[in-house]
Amino acid sequence: MSERGGNFLKNLLEVKAPFFIFNPKSYLYGQPLEELALEADQMAEKMGVQVFVTAPYADIERLAHKTSHIIVTAQHLDGLEPGRGMGAVLGESIYQAGARATFLNHAEHPLTLTQLVKSIQKTKELGMLSIVCADSVEEARAIATLRPDILLCEETAQIGTGQVSDTSYVHSTIEAIHAIDPEIAVMEAAGIRSAEDVRRVIALGADGTGCTSGITQAEDPASVLRSMIRALKN
């Protein structure tokens, strides 16, 4: 990681609303991912907003070296200590590579309660931000007791469908989470496909939002990414 990037991140490791998370999953890697990460980096600086970009583990260090204003984010982290754990994602390793946040309990990588507790504890030990996913209002309420930094509420059935969460779901999840801990940032992101979707969920009270296929599958991904980040404030 560049000295400039590292110094910036030391002052950035708290959640600042409104924020945006670009989560390309396994759609992008290598040079195409780097190009969009650089677009996100420029927009984060220009708009003065917090932007997270997730990366496959092998690309974390690459993005951390090339960017200065985004939070490079891992797709997962296992709550184990250095030692045994063949095939596991070691927190110390991805932190050293430049990750400063991680997703946990995504619908495509669900965790048991025991695993989730350990992974969140590990992020706190390392000084990383945790972005923990929840499906239902009940699940969001339960996970909120673990005090993650960001709680991502998205109904699993709507992921990637282009169908955004309805107003009642957004309001009920925000209310349930903040009743337990008002310091937890709430992210609503199911079905986000456009800048207008971003404006809508922020207006409904979400602290942040994000997108995957709405960007990666667009004819001009960079343009869509820029418009969504811009929509956080416009």
Side-chain angles (χ1 to χ4, degrees):
M1 184 186 301
S2 67
E3 182 179 356
R4 178 176 175 231
N7 287 341
F8 183 83
L9 286 173
K10 287 176 184 177
N11 297 320
L12 193 66
L13 285 181
E14 60 183 40
V15 181
K16 299 178 181 179
F19 61 85
F20 186 83
I21 300 182
F22 174 39
N23 179 29
K25 300 181 180 176
S26 295
Y27 287 101
L28 296 175
Y29 56 90
Q31 187 64 29
L33 174 59
E34 180 185 320
E35 290 172 0
L36 283 180
L38 289 171
E39 292 280 355
D41 199 56
Q42 292 170 10
M43 287 300 295
E45 180 181 24
K46 178 179 179 181
M47 299 300 298
V49 295
Q50 195 171 57
V51 178
F52 299 73
V53 178
T54 64
Y57 309 121
D59 287 299
I60 289 173
E61 188 166 14
R62 177 190 185 117
L63 296 194
H65 275 293
K66 295 294 181 69
T67 62
S68 299
H69 302 282
I70 60 171
I71 297 180
V72 179
T73 303
Q75 297 181 359
H76 172 72
L77 177 153
D78 289 304
L80 79 164
E81 298 300 319
R84 295 177 65 92
M86 184 70 172
V89 181
L90 180 64
E92 284 82 356
S93 176
I94 60 173
Y95 183 91
Q96 184 169 309
R100 293 296 180 266
T102 185
F103 268 84
L104 296 171
N105 199 46
H106 191 276
E108 298 172 14
H109 200 318
L111 300 177
T112 67
L113 178 59
T114 299
Q115 291 171 328
L116 183 57
V117 168
K118 289 181 179 179
S119 291
I120 292 175
Q121 288 176 340
K122 174 58 70 172
T123 65
K124 294 181 185 300
E125 290 172 12
L126 293 171
M128 296 175 67
L129 298 176
S130 56
I131 306 161
V132 183
C133 303
D135 180 6
S136 64
V137 176
E138 292 76 17
E139 188 175 13
R141 187 180 291 113
I143 293 174
T145 63
L146 302 179
R147 297 329 197 247
D149 296 293
I150 297 173
L151 220 168
L152 166 53
C153 303
E154 57 181 7
E155 297 156 291
T156 301
Q158 292 184 346
I159 296 174
T161 65
Q163 180 180 354
V164 296
S165 299
D166 61 36
T167 299
S168 63
Y169 176 85
V170 174
H171 283 161
S172 60
T173 49
I174 293 173
E175 181 179 350
I177 292 164
H178 284 170
I180 294 171
D181 187 347
E183 296 301 313
I184 297 173
V186 181
M187 176 181 172
E188 305 278 351
I192 300 296
R193 306 289 294 184
S194 67
E196 185 54 41
D197 290 336
V198 172
R199 294 187 189 95
R200 173 181 171 272
V201 296
I202 297 301
L204 288 174
D207 296 299
T209 189
C211 185
T212 296
S213 59
I215 295 171
T216 62
Q217 303 302 294
E219 289 187 12
D220 187 347
S223 177
V224 175
L225 175 62
R226 289 193 295 268
S227 71
M228 288 185 175
I229 295 174
R230 194 177 296 115
L232 292 174
K233 288 195 169 182
N234 295 321

